[in-house]
Amino acid sequence: MKDNDIKRLLYAHLLCIFSVILSTFIPSLFLERFSILETHLTWLCICSVFVTAVNLVLYLVVKPNAPSKRSSLSHKVARFLKCCIYFLMSCFCFHVIFVLYGAPLIELVLETFLFAVILSTFTTVPCLCLLGPNIKAWLRVFSRNGVASIWENSLQITTISSFIGSWLGAFPIPLDWERPWQCSLTEGRCLHQEKRGGTLSQIFTYGCSIKTTKVWPISCTLGATFGYVAGLAVSPLWIYWNRKRLTYKNN
Amino acid sequence: MRLGSGTFAACCVAIEVLGVAIFLRGFFPVPVRSSSRTEHRAEPPAPEPSTGASSNWTKLPPPLFSKVVVVLIDALRDDFVFGSKGVKFMPYTTYLVEKGASHSFVAEAKPPTVTMPRIKALMTGSLPGFGDVVRNLNSPALLEDNVIRQAKAAGKRIIFYGDETWVKLFPKHFVEYDGTTSFFVSDYTEVDDNVTRHLEKVLTREDWDVLILHYLGLDHIGHLSGPDSPLIGHKLREMDSVLMKIHMALLSKEREALLPGLLVLCGDHGMSESGSHGASSMEEVNTALVLISSAFERKPGDIRHPKHVQQTDLAATLAIGLGLPIPKNSVGRLLFPVVEGKPMREQLRFLHLNTVQLSKLLQENVPLYEKDPGFEQFKMSEKLHGNWIKLYLEENSSEVLLNLGTKVLRQYLNALQTLSLSLSRQVAQYDIYSMAVGTTLVLEVLALLLLSVPKALGPAAELDMPLSSPLFSLLFYLTLLVLSAVHVVVCTSTESACYFCSVSWLAAGGAMLLMSALLCALVSALPKTVVGVKHVGKSPAPSSSRWSELDLLILLGTTGHVLSLGASSFIEEEHQTWYFLVSTLCLALCQEVYRNHFLSSDGDPRGGLHTEPGPEGATPVGAKGCALLEDDRTRAAASAFKRLGGTDQRMVLASPWAVLCCCRLLRALNQTGVQGAHRPDLGHWLTSSDHKAALSVLAALSLLAVFLLVQRRCSPMSKVALALGLLGVYCYRAAIGNVMSPWQRGNSDISKGIVEARFVYVFVLGILFTGTKDLLRSQVSAAGVPARTVGLWEIHSGLVLLAALLLRPHNLPVLVSSLLVQTLMAKCVWKPLNHGVAEVTVMHYWFGQAFFYFQGNSNNIATVDVSAGFVGLEHYVEVPAAFLTTFATYVGPILWASHLVNYLSSESSSHSALRRACFCYALICSIPVSVYIILVTSLRYHLFIWSVFSPKLLYEGMHLFITAALCIFFTAMDQTKLTKP
């Protein structure tokens, strides 16, 4: 029973990872000059849509939690609307937090908001799918030792790793990403970064980067994406290794 | 000997300050400077020496050349001219070098081989030491005596085309200039075309005496694709044609002029095999130097191996060539071949001038200059020279004159060489030995601190420091012996001067004693700690003492910050790191608050789901170990939550968000760092004269808020004093014209506000005095803890008042929000959540750092607000000005540390809390310094060592000093507590 569950979890997560990967390749077939870094905002939208879709499909197919008692259409619609509102609210919440963290208040609003959207997609959407618009359940899952199934456990892991990913993603921001060159005022000498070949050690030594465009959310969104994917990949394995130790209230 | 961990930490930080001071002294050697460096009055040139009859030649010798053209090619390595590349790509230059009337040298540049210090070296003849970073803080102009300044003073007209650095270094010195920026390294044609395009016109004109051209293209190519790129060949060919053009023009001019012209081709630094520069490899250090003039003799011999000279020699040679006094700080010597063709008397005169200048410099910098062999030689040759002049004036036979003259000449050249050598020894080298001594001290202290963590943070917060046993151990004496042997060997054999060798034997011996004692203490502490850790590891299940998210964040943040110090951009933008960490801290606290809230509101703590509670009394391991065990604490906090009323609970829930908003607003107040410095910020908006009214209102409101926040815990008397003091602050700002004054409208005379400022100082001292009195009273009488708390708070409020006076008016909101955040955090977060001492200490440290940057500071020396040092002083007085400036700069860390003392002594139940806090504070401050010292040592040839790393090093050293003072304050507070019971 349990091994079977873990297998299902693994497949579901592989599908999610696949959707993220797909979102980087499919659009280039239809859109010209598409690349993650150049047309970053487009990619953010597409990735968000893909991941949401896959999550919804998974929710409908796998049905990890017990079906609710009332299944009338109006109830379903109300539930869906509630989910949408929750999603939007989480987007705004994240946006506010980013601004509090130092993101510009007025300029680059769209970028910041799309970052909030993608982070909500990685964190809120799976929660909504799995737990529904039920604050109590969320609190239970995210308070320590409150998980009740492997699904919730993996949810916890992916959410936290997405957050950590975007948090770590903010670190490269001071590394002169806004400037095409690194310049020291005293020496009056400048070093163009391209000549350095852009290896990591040189980026660290010279504080140069390869981008010349304004790239505010890129490092954070990429961090979030990597965190999400890593969480997806790691959580089934982690659960598998710790399956002896994990005991859930329900089973 | 048993020591409280606070005392122990204070001692450790004091030793660390000593270590850092030695390191800094080694890192910034004091450069050779003439004492009359600031005054630019022309001294009369040294007259020709003569015995008996006085010489008739007391004026400066006339110039040798009418026009001088300096072609400086950035990164012109010696083999680009003299090697195979030169033969291939620079045929004209090669022809001149081999067969023409020229002298060629390999000029050796001293590290750092970066353009600006090299230009300084070429023009002043001095070696800009690393201490120059501090000395001429941020004035870009070159204040030292230099050839350009001398030439301008002598009425020479100088034209410059090329790298903009020159224009910054010598503003208003050129009659005509066109600076090119070297921002875009990928551009290697435009930068040079911008220089060459002027040539055509300028070379036909007659209205200049000195022409300086600085070509950047070669260096850019080097950075782009290295010294073996085919682009180098093209560039060299282009340079060759430029040189030919100039040479031809000079030759054609010479027909009309009396004196010949001089063409100098030189490089500022070399190019390493990878195409960069900055360090001290042979390729980077050796540059080409070719002097071309028709005055020189054509030498048919092949000069494949040019003589090695110093880069600094060019300044003296140029000065002589142009008939100018040699720059005062020049350590270079005249390139003798230049004057070889002149009559003997002139040759001797030139050499004499140079020797006199060098020996003067030696007299001013070396205390025992009379013992210096160079000086002795100088005296001897001067005497001989006098004899020669006497003979010359008596018109003796030319045979005798020539023989004696040659002898004097040789004497002079020897003297010059010795003098120049002993002068250049003094500078421009990192004093590695002193640096190593300093680093050893710092690292030993850090290791000792780390090893004593479990003991010092344990329940007793006491340490056993065996002081007597190491004194009798073999290891101690062995180490001492080895160290002294090393000291003797290094000091007797060293090439360059070394600070640690020049201190008295007693001081050096003391430092070595300290080093070996520390080593012994380390060795004795090591097994104890290991045993202790093993013991702890065995008895309880190690997993039970789980770290909370907060501890993890603190650990991660500290590590991340320390590692980020290795990258120049992270240092420039260090404020971002701190803002980020503080925001994250707020979010983590928020999460903790909410979890506790929901745990308590749920009513049933999910006891069954919790892991088994950890055993009590286990000594937790690690820096944050003194925190209570997580589960117990969570439950305790949750129950504490339940006890809070509804309003209080809401306050607690909102406070992290309030703090977060506060921080975000402060961030917009002062843009700092390098990337953001140019962005508009509230601070600039407020200080512009259009918004004086807004600034006045803001300042008044801030002062009011400060009063409201501080007064509630003061005694009535200091309340009044505080109110009057804050009023005085406003009056002071109104008097010096920063804010509008409500009572003298229209009166626009701006005084220095001395009276107002001193009025405030009186109240500051008064409040501090009252506080101290309360503290002392709490010791002797039975008034006890309440008086103590009040006394501490009064000291805190005295510091706040001083800060309010010194901070600029637009920074007063920083002070207010600092007080607000302190109040909020203490009341609504730390107290209800029951945080451990270590956690609270680290949070205070983080907030202190963040407020350091909120106030507009950065890791650049330019942002230090020097005006704070003049508040209430008629004129500059060194000690108070330094104290006030330091206080104003480090207001954030100081106020937060003082709040920490207040919080712990009023809230904490444990009597050892202050001691542990002191230990934690010392540890958390000394980790970055120690790591940074190592990083800087390994990056000492980095391109940005001057501009980025060195200022940060100074900031770190100062911060450690402040920390030491704070730790002593902590310990003093703790002592008063201990003697009481």
Side-chain angles (χ1 to χ4, degrees):
Chain A
M1 158 68 189
K2 210 166 177 186
D3 281 348
N4 200 21
D5 253 6
I6 294 176
K7 215 174 262 174
R8 277 169 64 196
L9 181 75
L10 180 67
Y11 289 142
H13 280 191
L14 283 181
L15 208 61
C16 286
I17 296 176
F18 191 61
S19 77
V20 173
I21 296 171
L22 221 58
S23 72
T24 63
F25 288 113
I26 293 271
S28 56
L29 300 178
F30 303 105
L31 297 169
E32 273 184 41
R33 292 192 299 118
F34 174 87
S35 80
I36 293 182
L37 296 181
E38 299 297 319
T39 53
H40 191 66
L41 299 185
T42 327
W43 175 72
L44 281 185
C45 299
I46 292 169
C47 182
S48 157
V49 169
F50 267 62
V51 172
T52 314
V54 167
N55 266 304
L56 283 177
V57 167
L58 279 176
Y59 165 69
L60 292 177
V61 171
V62 181
K63 285 210 174 61
N65 46 353
S68 65
K69 284 150 260 165
R70 290 192 298 148
S71 53
S72 67
L73 187 69
S74 65
H75 177 253
K76 269 182 181 164
V77 168
R79 200 179 145 91
F80 181 74
L81 283 179
K82 223 173 168 185
C83 282
C84 287
I85 291 169
Y86 270 55
F87 178 74
L88 278 180
M89 264 167 59
S90 91
C91 288
F92 283 114
C93 266
F94 282 135
H95 190 106
V96 168
I97 289 179
F98 296 153
V99 170
L100 287 179
Y101 255 83
L105 183 64
I106 297 159
E107 48 191 28
L108 300 175
V109 172
L110 187 64
E111 279 84 349
T112 313
F113 188 71
L114 280 180
F115 175 31
V117 168
I118 194 107
L119 194 57
S120 305
T121 313
F122 291 151
T123 55
T124 318
V125 167
C127 287
L128 284 172
C129 288
L130 202 60
L131 306 171
N134 177 359
I135 290 284
K136 273 267 161 61
W138 290 30
L139 286 172
R140 176 175 55 79
V141 170
F142 288 105
S143 65
R144 193 176 271 180
N145 304 314
V147 286
S149 71
I150 54 167
W151 293 95
E152 292 177 0
N153 207 332
S154 70
L155 187 69
Q156 205 184 17
I157 293 173
T158 47
T159 309
I160 289 175
S161 63
S162 310
F163 281 135
I164 291 178
S166 48
W167 189 76
L168 289 177
F171 270 95
I173 289 178
L175 285 174
D176 295 308
W177 279 51
E178 284 189 347
R179 294 190 292 177
W181 30 262
Q182 160 86 14
C183 155
S184 152
L185 296 173
T186 313
E187 266 102 2
R189 322 264 34 230
C190 294
L191 293 166
H192 203 265
Q193 65 281 12
E194 277 164 355
K195 73 187 178 261
R196 297 268 150 212
T199 65
L200 194 67
S201 72
Q202 277 153 349
I203 283 178
F204 265 86
T205 326
Y206 288 96
C208 292
S209 62
I210 301 150
K211 297 309 295 170
T212 54
T213 47
K214 283 218 165 191
V215 283
W216 136 237
I218 289 186
S219 63
C220 288
T221 46
L222 288 185
T225 315
F226 282 127
Y228 178 61
V229 169
L232 287 176
V234 164
S235 60
L237 301 176
W238 191 83
I239 290 170
Y240 180 74
W241 269 314
N242 291 305
R243 65 188 184 283
K244 293 270 153 35
R245 212 167 55 76
L246 293 168
T247 47
Y248 299 112
K249 199 162 52 168
N250 296 0
N251 26 343
Chain B
M1 195 174 110
R2 290 197 74 77
L3 271 179
S5 47
T7 323
F8 170 70
C11 294
C12 282
V13 179
I15 298 174
E16 212 167 1
V17 167
L18 182 76
V20 170
I22 296 177
F23 179 86
L24 282 179
R25 194 58 176 64
F27 193 81
F28 299 112
V30 179
V32 174
R33 283 285 173 275
S34 169
S35 57
S36 56
R37 118 175 217 276
T38 41
E39 49 187 291
H40 284 318
R41 82 195 147 75
E43 284 171 29
E48 212 171 19
S50 60
T51 48
S54 67
S55 157
N56 52 1
W57 195 12
T58 50
K59 274 197 226 132
L60 263 185
L64 304 177
F65 307 104
S66 61
K67 286 200 189 317
V68 173
V69 181
V70 179
V71 182
L72 177 63
I73 300 176
D74 218 280
L76 186 69
R77 205 160 86 174
D78 58 340
D79 69 323
F80 287 167
V81 178
F82 308 126
S84 59
K85 279 210 183 78
V87 175
K88 201 165 154 199
F89 301 117
M90 300 186 84
Y92 188 74
T93 316
T94 310
Y95 162 77
L96 283 177
V97 164
E98 283 177 358
K99 304 207 173 66
S102 71
H103 295 294
S104 43
F105 307 93
V106 173
E108 207 174 291
K110 288 266 191 286
T113 46
V114 200
T115 300
M116 188 170 74
R118 288 309 101 216
I119 295 176
K120 282 187 181 175
L122 281 170
M123 287 300 123
T124 62
S126 66
L127 296 167
F130 292 87
D132 275 14
V133 184
V134 204
R135 281 169 172 265
N136 36 0
L137 290 174
N138 262 279
S139 89
L142 185 58
L143 300 170
E144 259 177 79
D145 194 7
N146 58 66
V147 178
I148 303 280
R149 205 182 61 74
Q150 294 281 8
K152 182 158 186 279
K156 307 261 181 207
R157 290 150 300 175
I158 313 167
I159 293 182
F160 171 76
Y161 301 117
D163 189 357
E164 216 179 24
T165 315
W166 285 76
V167 185
K168 282 187 198 141
L169 281 175
F170 308 104
K172 297 182 190 157
H173 283 72
F174 306 120
V175 290
E176 195 182 316
Y177 62 83
D178 180 19
T180 54
T181 52
S182 56
F183 276 172
F184 298 101
V185 174
S186 53
D187 160 34
Y188 48 83
T189 43
E190 194 87 348
V191 274
D192 288 355
D193 289 345
N194 279 344
V195 179
T196 314
R197 65 178 174 174
H198 298 285
L199 270 187
E200 204 73 51
K201 239 186 270 166
V202 158
L203 288 177
T204 54
R205 276 160 41 185
E206 283 296 330
D207 58 342
W208 54 269
D209 303 295
V210 181
L211 172 65
I212 300 171
L213 308 169
H214 187 149
Y215 283 99
L216 286 166
L218 189 67
D219 184 43
H220 288 188
I221 293 174
H223 284 305
L224 274 172
S225 47
D228 295 320
S229 141
L231 291 171
I232 293 271
H234 288 282
K235 186 49 83 179
L236 288 179
R237 210 166 295 196
E238 182 192 332
M239 292 296 115
D240 195 46
S241 66
V242 166
L243 204 74
M244 182 158 85
K245 196 189 276 175
I246 298 170
H247 192 220
M248 291 303 167
L250 273 182
L251 284 181
S252 67
K253 271 181 202 293
E254 265 170 32
R255 285 183 205 121
E256 300 111 60
L258 292 167
L259 288 170
L262 173 70
L263 173 56
V264 180
L265 170 70
C266 60
D268 57 346
H269 50 74
M271 188 188 287
S272 72
E273 280 312 311
S274 65
S276 71
H277 55 87
S280 55
S281 70
M282 283 293 274
E283 290 83 14
E284 285 157 277
V285 160
N286 286 343
T287 65
L289 172 62
V290 184
L291 305 172
I292 306 157
S293 168
S294 52
F296 304 149
E297 273 177 47
R298 286 165 186 277
K299 271 183 259 166
D302 91 312
I303 312 165
R304 278 294 77 186
H305 301 290
K307 223 174 96 185
H308 274 256
V309 296
Q310 293 298 313
Q311 205 178 29
T312 45
D313 297 348
L314 185 67
T317 312
L318 275 182
I320 297 271
L322 285 165
L324 306 168
I326 300 174
K328 285 188 195 108
N329 298 327
S330 161
V331 296
R333 53 206 167 106
L334 175 64
L335 295 172
F336 185 67
V338 174
V339 295
E340 220 165 14
K342 297 278 149 191
M344 180 62 83
R345 187 178 178 190
E346 284 183 32
Q347 286 184 28
L348 290 182
R349 175 90 171 110
F350 293 137
L351 287 174
H352 178 240
L353 281 174
N354 196 348
T355 336
V356 166
Q357 177 258 330
L358 283 184
S359 63
K360 242 188 212 158
L361 198 59
L362 188 79
Q363 278 179 35
E364 277 161 4
N365 285 289
V366 183
L368 294 171
Y369 65 94
E370 273 151 340
K371 299 264 172 59
D372 195 274
F375 194 74
E376 283 167 10
Q377 280 173 2
F378 159 68
K379 282 289 162 209
M380 179 111 84
S381 23
E382 203 173 31
K383 215 161 81 191
L384 273 176
H385 188 184
N387 287 336
W388 187 88
I389 293 289
K390 198 175 159 198
L391 285 178
Y392 177 83
L393 291 176
E394 286 164 7
E395 281 165 59
N396 264 323
S397 69
S398 58
E399 185 81 6
V400 180
L401 269 181
L402 190 66
N403 283 340
L404 188 60
T406 336
K407 205 175 151 196
V408 180
L409 209 73
R410 224 177 297 128
Q411 273 281 1
Y412 264 134
L413 286 177
N414 283 338
L416 271 181
Q417 187 173 8
T418 329
L419 278 173
S420 174
L421 205 66
S422 55
L423 277 172
S424 20
R425 261 186 206 162
Q426 311 267 328
V427 273
Q429 290 292 329
Y430 291 111
D431 179 355
I432 295 290
Y433 181 49
S434 306
M435 279 160 73
V437 171
T439 314
T440 319
L441 273 176
V442 171
L443 288 186
E444 278 178 347
V445 169
L446 182 69
L448 199 58
L449 277 174
L450 284 176
L451 280 182
S452 48
V453 161
K455 268 266 172 64
L457 294 184
E462 276 181 340
L463 290 161
D464 227 352
M465 260 299 119
L467 280 185
S468 53
S469 64
L471 286 179
F472 299 109
S473 74
L474 187 62
L475 178 71
F476 175 75
Y477 289 108
L478 272 182
T479 333
L480 194 60
L481 208 65
V482 170
L483 284 176
S484 357
V486 167
H487 186 71
V488 168
V489 167
V490 169
C491 289
T492 48
S493 70
T494 183
E495 285 279 299
S496 58
C498 164
Y499 169 70
F500 199 63
C501 291
S502 63
V503 299
S504 74
W505 268 98
L506 218 60
M512 280 184 287
L513 268 175
L514 206 58
M515 263 152 73
S516 27
L518 279 174
L519 188 72
C520 287
L522 265 182
V523 169
S524 67
L526 194 60
K528 270 192 226 162
T529 315
V530 170
V531 168
V533 169
K534 262 191 195 154
H535 182 69
V536 169
K538 251 182 260 165
S539 54
S543 62
S544 66
S545 62
R546 250 158 89 183
W547 290 12
S548 68
E549 290 90 344
L550 197 67
D551 295 335
L552 219 66
L553 170 68
I554 284 172
L555 198 71
L556 211 77
T558 310
T559 326
H561 166 246
V562 165
L563 288 181
S564 78
L565 292 178
S568 59
S569 303
F570 276 129
I571 291 178
E572 282 171 346
E573 308 290 320
E574 201 190 342
H575 56 286
Q576 303 278 18
T577 315
W578 285 115
Y579 298 166
F580 190 67
L581 286 179
V582 165
S583 305
T584 312
L585 180 68
C586 286
L587 278 191
L589 287 175
C590 194
Q591 182 256 358
E592 203 168 328
V593 165
Y594 279 76
R595 202 177 55 201
N596 284 328
H597 174 73
F598 288 117
L599 271 183
S600 64
S601 65
D602 268 6
D604 57 331
R606 241 168 294 274
L609 276 176
H610 278 273
T611 48
E612 68 280 13
E616 307 266 345
T619 323
V621 191
K624 319 297 169 297
C626 77
L628 290 170
L629 291 177
E630 169 69 8
D631 287 339
D632 303 334
R633 215 186 65 189
T634 317
R635 222 168 292 151
S639 56
F641 243 81
K642 259 192 232 166
R643 268 179 267 121
L644 288 172
T647 348
D648 282 350
Q649 244 181 40
R650 238 165 287 143
M651 277 270 284
V652 169
L653 290 182
S655 59
W657 294 104
V659 173
L660 212 52
C661 291
C662 220
C663 291
R664 181 65 179 93
L665 285 179
L666 287 181
R667 217 183 232 251
L669 188 64
N670 284 308
Q671 290 283 7
T672 177
V674 168
Q675 287 181 31
H678 59 277
R679 286 192 206 137
D681 57 18
L682 272 178
H684 281 98
W685 187 82
L686 285 171
T687 40
S688 76
S689 52
D690 303 343
H691 306 112
K692 205 169 170 183
L695 182 64
S696 309
V697 172
L698 188 70
L701 284 181
S702 304
L703 290 175
L704 191 68
V706 167
F707 178 70
L708 291 179
L709 282 169
V710 172
Q711 53 89 25
R712 70 206 149 79
R713 284 162 69 185
C714 285
S715 62
M717 208 172 60
S718 43
K719 248 181 223 179
V720 176
L722 184 71
L724 286 175
L726 289 173
L727 204 62
V729 170
Y730 192 83
C731 291
Y732 170 72
R733 288 295 164 192
I736 64 167
N738 281 347
V739 293
M740 282 197 278
S741 127
W743 42 87
Q744 16 170 249
R745 198 160 282 282
N747 190 2
S748 63
D749 64 322
I750 290 165
S751 70
K752 281 166 98 181
I754 307 275
V755 182
E756 288 88 347
R758 288 191 179 161
F759 178 74
V760 181
Y761 283 140
V762 168
F763 285 112
V764 170
L765 290 179
I767 294 174
L768 287 180
F769 176 74
T770 330
T772 323
K773 200 190 71 193
D774 279 346
L775 279 181
L776 290 177
R777 212 183 46 176
S778 76
Q779 263 185 58
V780 290
S781 77
V785 180
R788 214 181 105 74
T789 318
V790 171
L792 278 176
W793 186 261
E794 272 165 357
I795 290 183
H796 183 63
S797 52
L799 294 179
V800 168
L801 182 56
L802 186 59
L805 176 65
L806 296 180
L807 283 181
R808 294 188 174 204
H810 75 268
N811 271 337
L812 284 174
V814 178
L815 186 64
V816 176
S817 22
S818 149
L819 293 170
L820 191 70
V821 171
Q822 282 169 359
T823 319
L824 270 181
M825 292 296 261
K827 238 179 116 181
C828 302
V829 179
W830 292 323
K831 210 167 133 193
L833 287 188
N834 208 353
H835 282 288
V837 175
E839 284 168 343
V840 172
T841 310
V842 176
M843 285 190 246
H844 270 93
Y845 171 73
W846 281 19
F847 272 108
Q849 289 294 311
F851 275 88
F852 176 75
Y853 292 104
F854 280 142
Q855 152 197 357
N857 287 323
S858 71
N859 282 329
N860 186 347
I861 294 179
T863 50
V864 174
D865 180 14
V866 194
S867 69
F870 292 90
V871 174
L873 298 177
E874 290 278 5
H875 42 78
Y876 181 77
V877 192
E878 196 167 348
V879 176
F883 172 76
L884 291 177
T885 313
T886 315
F887 182 81
T889 312
Y890 285 92
V891 158
I894 291 174
L895 282 188
W896 277 90
S898 136
H899 181 263
L900 176 63
V901 174
N902 274 295
Y903 172 75
L904 287 180
S905 57
S906 66
E907 307 288 349
S908 177
S909 50
S910 163
H911 72 282
S912 61
L914 256 179
R915 270 185 264 168
R916 279 184 300 194
C918 177
F919 184 83
C920 286
Y921 199 79
L923 186 68
I924 198 94
C925 289
S926 51
I927 290 174
V929 183
S930 320
V931 175
Y932 190 65
I933 278 183
I934 299 170
L935 281 174
V936 157
T937 312
S938 59
L939 292 174
R940 63 189 182 283
Y941 294 121
H942 191 281
L943 199 54
F944 298 146
I945 187 75
W946 277 37
S947 51
V948 180
F949 289 105
S950 303
K952 172 69 182 159
L953 183 63
L954 292 176
Y955 271 106
E956 281 293 331
M958 203 58 220
H959 188 209
L960 190 72
F961 183 70
I962 301 264
T963 309
L966 289 175
C967 280
I968 290 169
F969 174 63
F970 272 67
T971 319
M973 295 302 116
D974 188 42
Q975 291 301 335
T976 49
K977 196 166 194 174
L978 273 188
T979 43
K980 203 216 107 199

